[in-house]
Amino acid sequence: MRVIVIGAGVLGASAAFHAALAGAQVVLVDQAHDGRATAAGAGIVCPWLSGSTDAEWYRIASAGARYLPTLVQQLAGFGEHDLGYRRVGALSVASNGRDLDGIEALARARQAGAPDAGDVSRLDSRQARALFPPLHPELEAVHVSGGARVDGRRLAAALCRAMERQGGTRRQGVATLLVRSGCVTGACVGGEAIEADAVILAAGAWAPALLAPLGLTLAVEPQRGQITHLRLEGVETGSWPVVLPPGSHYLIAFEGGRVVAGATRERGTGFDCRVTAAGQAEVLNQALAVAPGLGQATLIETRVGFRPLGPNARPLLGAAAGLKGLVIGNGMGPSGLTIGPFAGRLLAQAALGQPPNLPLEPYDPFRPRTGVSASDTDAIR
Ligand SMILES: Cc1cc2nc3c(=O)[nH]c(=O)nc-3n(C[C@H](O)[C@H](O)[C@H](O)COP(=O)(O)OP(=O)(O)OC[C@H]3O[C@@H](n4cnc5c(N)ncnc54)[C@H](O)[C@@H]3O)c2cc1C
């Protein structure tokens, strides 16, 4: 069976890897847009502290967090070890201990059904700073030991290479859908028609443009995120936990002194991928308010990515009813590095006609709008 995957972000790369693993002949096409979300994503994996009220979002996000260690092991079998994945723990921080009571209660309630969340504990400001030294001295924390981080760029690249090692091929270029008699029969890449039994469309915020000519409206828009990478010279930061203050900003550390401060959430920017003065100021002000000890860090770069934002936090996954041969994956918004590796496997299963590990009905890409509000997405990091 031949499967074409359009888009090599974390979702498409995972779908391509899993389809190849299941024995399909895979062609993965990517246009490498500036602003592709996976290349900018921070990499927090900690759904248990999220304030989202959507049970279906939580179901797939927690399944995603649970699946990552399995995928990491699988990729190791293909010689891929450099993913930036590590269970470093997460600190939800606040200056008022009472604000942490609700967060602790939520984490403990979720921990009961998610052993991979690890231990939940309360830390005073001294204990919190012992884990993340630049932190403001007045901040206390709830610590969740299972919190993790992953580098989206390295993970997607590793998935692509592992797919190729199984005989899959990669093409760089612009893909469009080939449609014949109401069925998607392949893709056109750089003027060449490639036939396939199924096409997985994982084109992120750019996907609506591929579906519009078919009369299909996918409710996805780009949400711009500006995110700044700092380096603490000579400091080893690889084991530092993720820091989640109130609001939507955060800090996340990688090896080699790299501390990442994220991120803006901007709608209505279209695909304008400039770093703006206001965006840069917002990210740095928020970061330094939480961690003044970062003041002397070197500013390395600011990345810009477009989160594929659906009508609410719940992803859009599954077949397009009435259009055979097409499977859509999208709408992972701010949690795609958590959900995408697992969701890619679901898309591969759907394309190959295998029963999915999670029922896809709640994630129907063209479902009517649910009662879950769009602002629910703001509660997710
Ligand atoms: C600043 C920021 C911080 C984030 N932080 C986190 C986080 O901490 N934790 C978390 O879980 N998630 C996070 N996310 C969210 C996560 O990064 C995204 O949800 C996820 O990367 C989306 O992946 P994707 O594969 O759907 O889209 P993308 O990564 O955007 O990939 C889509 C790909 O499709 C390609 N494409 C589009 N059209 C075509 C075409 N016609 N032909 C060929 N190729 C095409 C593009 O070039 C692109 O490479 C963050 C995102 C941003 C921007």
Side-chain angles (χ1 to χ4, degrees):
M1 183 165 182
R2 177 183 265 185
V3 175
I4 297 174
V5 181
I6 301 176
V10 68
L11 187 55
S14 172
F17 168 75
H18 286 98
L21 201 61
Q25 187 193 342
V26 179
V27 180
L28 174 60
V29 191
D30 191 71
Q31 197 175 333
H33 282 94
D34 287 339
R36 51 199 188 279
T38 301
I44 301 165
V45 181
C46 190
W48 315 287
L49 286 173
S50 157
S52 170
T53 56
D54 181 7
E56 300 299 347
W57 174 84
Y58 179 71
R59 195 184 316 280
I60 196 164
S62 52
R66 193 162 53 247
Y67 182 59
L68 260 170
T70 308
L71 182 62
V72 166
Q73 258 189 355
Q74 264 179 322
L75 285 170
F78 289 94
E80 298 293 346
H81 304 278
D82 181 24
L83 316 172
Y85 177 77
R86 185 159 167 180
R87 289 180 85 199
V88 288
L91 291 177
S92 185
V93 298
S95 52
N96 181 343
R98 274 195 305 278
D99 293 346
L100 292 174
D101 291 345
I103 293 168
E104 183 182 358
L106 176 73
R108 289 198 186 281
R110 285 179 166 165
Q111 179 198 32
D116 46 316
D119 298 325
V120 176
S121 54
R122 206 62 181 256
L123 305 185
D124 63 25
S125 54
R126 191 185 46 80
Q127 292 167 315
R129 282 183 94 195
L131 294 178
F132 197 99
L135 213 54
H136 193 288
E138 282 171 15
L139 291 174
E140 299 168 28
V142 171
H143 181 249
V144 174
S145 69
R149 47 89 166 151
V150 68
D151 183 329
R153 287 187 182 194
R154 287 190 262 168
L155 174 61
L159 286 163
C160 290
R161 286 190 296 267
M163 181 271 305
E164 285 180 303
R165 270 186 219 113
Q166 298 170 86
T169 54
R170 279 161 87 172
R171 299 282 296 266
Q172 170 139 11
V174 184
T176 53
L177 295 169
L178 280 179
V179 184
R180 201 178 300 130
S181 314
C183 292
V184 172
T185 58
C188 191
V189 185
E192 182 194 344
I194 310 173
E195 301 287 330
D197 302 288
V199 175
I200 297 175
L201 180 59
W206 296 270
L210 279 100
L211 292 167
L214 313 186
L216 292 172
T217 304
L218 189 69
V220 168
E221 61 171 290
Q223 184 195 54
R224 185 166 70 187
Q226 302 185 47
I227 182 165
T228 296
H229 290 231
L230 307 170
R231 186 167 46 241
L232 283 169
E233 307 295 343
V235 181
E236 189 35 70
T237 48
S239 64
W240 287 11
V242 169
V243 174
L244 305 170
S248 62
H249 285 257
Y250 48 79
L251 296 164
I252 172 170
F254 289 87
E255 311 86 351
R258 187 176 285 254
V259 179
V260 181
T264 64
R265 293 189 178 194
E266 304 165 78
R267 296 177 69 176
T269 64
F271 290 102
D272 175 358
C273 60
R274 288 174 306 124
V275 176
T276 64
Q280 187 66 89
E282 177 186 322
V283 167
L284 290 179
N285 287 335
Q286 293 275 348
L288 294 177
V290 172
L294 292 173
Q296 292 306 309
T298 307
L299 199 157
I300 311 171
E301 61 172 323
T302 295
R303 298 180 181 175
V304 179
F306 299 103
R307 302 178 189 89
L309 195 68
N312 52 42
R314 196 184 301 178
L316 307 166
L317 305 169
L323 195 62
K324 276 180 64 182
L326 182 65
V327 174
I328 291 171
N330 214 306
M332 299 188 299
S335 44
L337 299 181
T338 305
I339 295 173
F342 176 67
R345 184 187 191 198
L346 299 176
L347 296 181
Q349 289 165 334
L352 299 175
Q354 297 172 350
N357 287 101
L358 195 73
L360 287 179
E361 287 75 16
Y363 309 100
D364 180 352
F366 299 102
R367 64 182 181 257
R369 297 199 173 211
T370 63
V372 183
S373 78
S375 64
D376 197 61
T377 311
D378 297 335
I380 293 171
R381 280 171 297 184

